């Protein structure tokens, strides 16, 4: 049965479903995604990529009954948290439909399947798509030939030949560390190929603009890994090679829906509207309020998904610390937008539960709101005490300057976010030099590393 391509009217749920249906039709078994706190992920971490747990259950625990799986995995990226708000493309919590194939890599078949999904399933125009392949060279201390087979496979399916770009190892060679609990094997590796959407030459940064450029013209949204080797001093073929293809569902939604940012897709823009409405016409305490609108929206999504998967209440260490960080950033952004009414948090969490097709979420709305309310009490107290320290520091110093080390002290010792300190300083007409901050922060990080 032929189903029409999705195109511009598609919502996130359809995008996830279409991926799974496409691979099921090719004989892939549909399995549920794992918890963000899956036991295969080390205790202090959270699931950050698509298919780690499939690999674990299949290759480590002997749980495999087939060779092909498809699933939608929720992912949370701690290391992307700093980009949230500033980038139009990043959410800390996103959904990743994936397909996992055990056996020797067959690039021709894998790429033909992807192309069919993108053109016939999602309705992308072939002219809008670009792909990268590994151009060969040094990787993990060894020398590799270019991955011509991948290049040829893209040409064969009909991608515009000029749109197929060879890149170095930094972009197109994958090395998987031992990220999985119990995995004692040497790091697995292999070349990968990524698909980019061209948002148009009007966004181009110049004549050399190409996939891999960070100007925003090219959006990466699909990655296929051909994991065929492992490295233990020497390179050896992997006994169980595999191919995995993943897409960022929210990014596909952004591209198909023609949204200018990932914060404007169907499951996110109603949340943005709610934050804007709550902020009203009160001017924010910072210049770019939109960054903080995004932080609030991003973090409430992440917090609800994490709570539903059993994340602990905020506290010290590991996942509790992550919850604390998310909640305090959310509360700080609310302060900066001068939103005092905590009803917003409940309304947002409720709306996330309605917008996302995840039957587990609604039951956790109250719990996440309780976490946030309890943490707010502690945080408010911390900020009040910290601000008193700040007053004392300024009186003691009797200088119109506040240096980086002072700022790090406020943040790390007294628990007051930098943005709030900066506002207090501005109100008191005390100068702060951000240059000195970077250096002081590095010194602080190094002193921590020295202690451990
Ligand atoms: Zn560019």
């Amino acid at each position: 049965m032929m189903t029409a391509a999705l195109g511009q009217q598609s919502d996130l749920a359809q995008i996830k479903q279409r991926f799974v249906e496409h691979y099921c039709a090719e004989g892939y078994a549909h399995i549920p995604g794992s918890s963000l706190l899956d036991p295969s992920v080390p205790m202090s971490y959270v699931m950050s990529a698509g298919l780690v747990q499939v690999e674990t259950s299949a290759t480590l625990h002997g749980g495999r009954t087939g060779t092909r799986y498809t699933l939608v995995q929720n992912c949370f990226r701690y290391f992307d948290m700093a980009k949230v708000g500033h980038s139009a493309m990043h959410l800390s919590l996103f959904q990743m439909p994936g397909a996992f194939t055990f056996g020797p890599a067959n690039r021709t078949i894998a790429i033909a399947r992807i192309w069919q999904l993108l053109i016939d399933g999602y309705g992308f125009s072939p002219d809008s798509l670009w792909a990268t392949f590994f151009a060969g060279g040094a990787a993990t201390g060894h020398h590799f030939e270019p991955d011509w087979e991948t290049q040829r496979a893209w040409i064969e399916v009909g991608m515009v030949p000029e749109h197929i770009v060879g890149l170095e190892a930094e972009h197109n060679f994958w090395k998987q560390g031992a990220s999985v609990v119990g995995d004692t094997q040497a790091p697995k590796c292999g070349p990968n190929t990524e698909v980019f959407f061209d948002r148009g030459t009007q966004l181009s940064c110049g004549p050399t603009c190409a996939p891999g450029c960070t100007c925003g013209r090219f959006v990466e949204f699909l990655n296929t890994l051909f994991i065929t080797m492992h490295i233990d001093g020497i390179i050896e073929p992997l006994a169980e090679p595999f191919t995995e293809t993943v897409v960022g569902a929210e990014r596909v939604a952004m591209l198909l829906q023609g949204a200018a940012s990932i914060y404007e897709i169907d499951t996110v823009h109603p949340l943005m509207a709610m934050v804007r409405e709550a902020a009203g016409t009160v001017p924010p305490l910072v210049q770019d309020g939109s960054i903080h609108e995004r932080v609030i929206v991003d973090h409430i999504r992440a917090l609800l998904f994490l709570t539903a998967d059993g994340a602990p209440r905020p506290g010290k260490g590991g996942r509790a610390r992550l919850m604390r960080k998310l909640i305090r950033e959310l509360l700080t952004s609310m302060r900066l937008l001068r939103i005092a009414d905590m009803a917003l948090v409940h309304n947002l969490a409720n709306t996330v539960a309605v917008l996302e097709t995840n039957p587990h979420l609604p039951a956790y709305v109250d719990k996440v709101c309780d976490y946030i309310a309890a943490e707010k009490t502690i945080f408010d107290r911390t900020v009040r005490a910290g601000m008193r320290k700040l007053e004392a520091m300024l009186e003691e110093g009797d200088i119109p300057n506040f240096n980086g080390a002072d700022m790090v002290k406020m943040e790390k010792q007294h628990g007051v976010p930098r943005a709030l300190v900066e506002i207090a300083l501005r109100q008191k007409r005390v100068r702060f030099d951000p240059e000195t901050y970077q250096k002081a922060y590095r010194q602080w990080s190094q002193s921590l590393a020295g202690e451990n």
Side-chain angles (χ1 to χ4, degrees), residues 105-145:
N106 187 323
R107 289 156 166 81
T108 310
I109 292 177
I111 288 170
R113 257 180 208 138
I114 293 166
W115 189 251
Q116 208 184 11
L117 170 71
L118 298 183
I119 306 301
D120 303 336
Y122 285 154
F124 281 110
S125 134
D127 293 343
S128 68
L129 301 179
W130 292 58
T132 60
F133 67 96
F134 179 44
T140 65
H142 298 267
H143 187 271
F144 293 92
E145 293 301 310

Side-chain angles (χ1 to χ4, degrees), residues 203-206 208-218:
L203 293 171
S204 175
C205 61
T208 58
C209 191
C213 179
T214 54
C215 69
R217 175 181 167 187
F218 293 99

Side-chain angles (χ1 to χ4, degrees), residues 15-332:
I15 286 163
K16 292 188 288 184
Q17 194 186 346
R18 184 56 61 95
F19 185 101
V20 168
E21 282 171 358
H22 177 73
Y23 280 92
C24 281
E26 301 280 346
Y28 285 65
H30 183 199
I31 57 172
S34 295
S35 160
L36 285 159
L37 312 181
D38 190 79
S40 67
V41 185
M43 270 315 283
S44 53
Y45 295 94
V46 172
M47 189 74 81
S48 67
L51 302 169
V52 164
Q53 78 293 2
V54 179
E55 198 191 317
T56 319
S57 57
T59 61
L60 296 177
H61 305 314
R64 171 145 61 99
T65 53
T67 56
R68 301 172 184 187
Y69 300 93
T70 181
L71 73 162
V72 179
Q73 179 60 47
N74 298 330
C75 303
F76 175 84
R77 293 208 168 153
Y78 181 80
F79 48 86
D80 277 346
M81 272 181 75
K83 292 179 195 156
V84 166
H86 301 274
S87 155
M89 311 285 171
H90 286 87
L91 289 166
S92 64
L93 184 291
F94 61 98
Q95 293 154 85
M96 199 177 237
F100 196 99
T101 317
F102 283 100
N106 187 323
R107 289 156 166 81
T108 310
I109 292 177
I111 288 170
R113 257 180 208 138
I114 293 166
W115 189 251
Q116 208 184 11
L117 170 71
L118 298 183
I119 306 301
D120 303 336
Y122 285 154
F124 281 110
S125 134
D127 293 343
S128 68
L129 301 179
W130 292 58
T132 60
F133 67 96
F134 179 44
T140 65
H142 298 267
H143 187 271
F144 293 92
E145 293 301 310
D147 184 7
W148 297 126
E149 219 184 310
T150 291
Q151 186 201 36
R152 203 161 44 237
W154 282 119
I155 293 171
E156 278 169 17
V157 294
M159 183 171 276
V160 180
E162 293 75 29
H163 289 188
I164 306 164
V165 184
L167 294 177
E168 62 275 35
E170 185 199 336
H171 295 279
N172 283 112
F173 194 89
W174 212 260
K175 187 178 158 194
Q176 285 187 322
S179 56
V180 177
V181 171
D183 187 354
T184 52
Q185 300 174 53
K188 304 180 190 85
C189 64
N192 70 311
T193 176
E194 294 181 323
V195 179
F196 291 75
F197 179 87
D198 180 0
R199 301 167 87 202
T201 48
Q202 76 283 358
L203 293 171
S204 175
C205 61
T208 58
C209 191
C213 179
T214 54
C215 69
R217 175 181 167 187
F218 293 99
V219 178
E220 186 257 315
F221 68 95
L222 181 147
N223 189 7
T224 293
L225 313 177
F226 302 110
I227 304 295
T228 53
M229 299 167 276
H230 67 103
I231 298 187
D232 197 1
I234 56 163
I235 296 169
E236 286 181 332
L238 204 56
E240 294 253 57
F242 55 89
T243 301
E244 55 176 77
T245 293
V246 292
V247 299
E250 284 85 354
R251 284 206 184 167
V252 174
M254 180 183 109
L255 301 172
L256 288 183
Q257 293 169 14
S261 101
I262 207 160
Y263 292 87
E264 299 305 321
I265 66 169
D266 62 303
T267 52
V268 184
H269 86 84
L271 306 168
M272 292 294 289
M274 289 168 75
V275 175
R276 285 183 195 127
E277 200 189 312
T281 52
V282 183
L285 293 169
V286 279
Q287 259 182 351
D288 196 351
S290 68
I291 290 175
H292 297 282
E293 291 166 359
R294 288 173 173 181
V295 169
I296 294 169
V297 164
D298 174 87
H299 286 19
I300 196 76
R301 284 177 83 247
L303 283 161
L304 182 58
F305 274 86
L306 283 162
T307 303
D309 278 356
R313 60 174 53 254
K316 289 178 181 166
R319 291 164 175 168
R321 183 171 160 270
L322 168 67
M323 294 293 282
R324 171 160 283 170
K325 186 173 162 66
L326 280 165
I327 294 175
R328 290 192 174 195
E329 286 188 4
L330 172 113
L331 294 171
T332 301

